[in-house]
Amino acid sequence: MSVLTQILMQGAVGGQNLRDIKPPLEVPQALLLYFIGAAAILGFITVSAWFYLRKRPQTLPVSEDEAVDVPLPHEVAYEQLAVIEASDLLKRADMEAYHTQIAYVLREYISARYQIPALELTTTALLHAMLSVEIGTQCVERVEELLASCDMVKFATYQPELSEASARIADARWIVDETKVSDS
């Protein structure tokens, strides 16, 4: 005979009888109080949010005298390209950083100028987006050449000549020149 069977046959320890298990707890049938409580909590949250949003400081209108001059996208691109050109990346022969920065400036310019998420798109997707915005095909082809050569340096470890690398800045400036908003 197994030990478990022997224990069950002997009965309760100390002469006490086994007690029955406790019955499940009863849920009150009147759920109306719960609905009222939930509605009160939801109402409190709604009113609190309304007061918070109403009391939030409003932005004050800026007069024309105090308006901040935001530079145009082509001005920003020219400045950034000048910084890259003045840096010593070419002298140190750091072609990957040099081409990465040029591609970034060009993509940032396209993003600001045409509201295309150029920094998030692949080169192919960017070119398709540029064609859909109706940018001239000659300009799109130049962008394709520039980004393809930058991608080769960044991802395929291609090492261009110094003169070829210097031409990238000129290409980027030409693209900005051709696509910038006229000042008139």
Side-chain angles (χ1 to χ4, degrees):
M1 220 185 222
S2 73
V3 175
L4 180 61
T5 314
Q6 288 177 358
I7 292 174
L8 291 176
M9 292 176 77
Q10 287 180 359
V13 178
Q16 295 178 345
N17 290 334
L18 294 175
R19 292 181 286 163
D20 199 12
I21 60 171
K22 291 184 178 181
L25 297 175
E26 290 188 28
V27 177
Q29 295 297 325
L31 296 176
L32 181 62
L33 294 176
Y34 291 111
F35 285 123
I36 291 173
I41 291 171
L42 184 62
F44 176 75
I45 292 171
T46 304
V47 169
S48 298
W50 181 73
F51 274 114
Y52 172 75
L53 293 174
R54 197 171 133 226
K55 298 284 184 181
R56 191 174 51 180
Q58 301 293 325
T59 57
L60 299 174
V62 179
S63 68
E64 291 181 22
D65 298 337
E66 298 173 358
V68 177
D69 288 334
V70 177
L72 294 172
H74 66 272
E75 294 170 346
V76 173
Y78 287 142
E79 287 177 20
Q80 291 175 340
L81 289 171
V83 168
I84 294 170
E85 197 170 30
S87 70
D88 63 342
L89 292 175
L90 276 182
K91 294 174 191 166
R92 289 187 292 149
D94 191 359
M95 293 295 174
E96 185 176 343
Y98 180 76
H99 284 79
T100 300
Q101 289 180 4
I102 292 173
Y104 183 83
V105 168
L106 186 62
R107 285 174 176 270
E108 202 172 48
Y109 167 72
I110 292 170
S111 180
R113 170 71 174 87
Y114 296 106
Q115 287 73 42
I116 297 173
L119 294 171
E120 301 164 9
L121 297 174
T122 62
T123 301
T124 307
L126 173 60
L127 296 171
H128 288 296
M130 288 176 69
L131 287 172
S132 69
V133 177
E134 298 178 4
I135 300 172
T137 54
Q138 183 183 13
C139 186
V140 173
E141 289 171 359
R142 269 309 257 280
V143 170
E144 180 179 19
E145 290 171 11
L146 177 66
L147 291 179
S149 62
C150 288
D151 287 346
M152 283 179 49
V153 173
K154 291 187 315 190
F155 302 118
T157 63
Y158 171 70
Q159 291 295 317
E161 298 290 324
L162 285 177
S163 61
E164 186 181 350
S166 298
R168 299 292 174 256
I169 290 279
D171 290 342
R173 278 202 179 97
W174 183 89
I175 292 165
V176 172
D177 284 337
E178 291 296 314
T179 59
K180 71 180 178 181
V181 177
S182 61
D183 293 333
S184 55

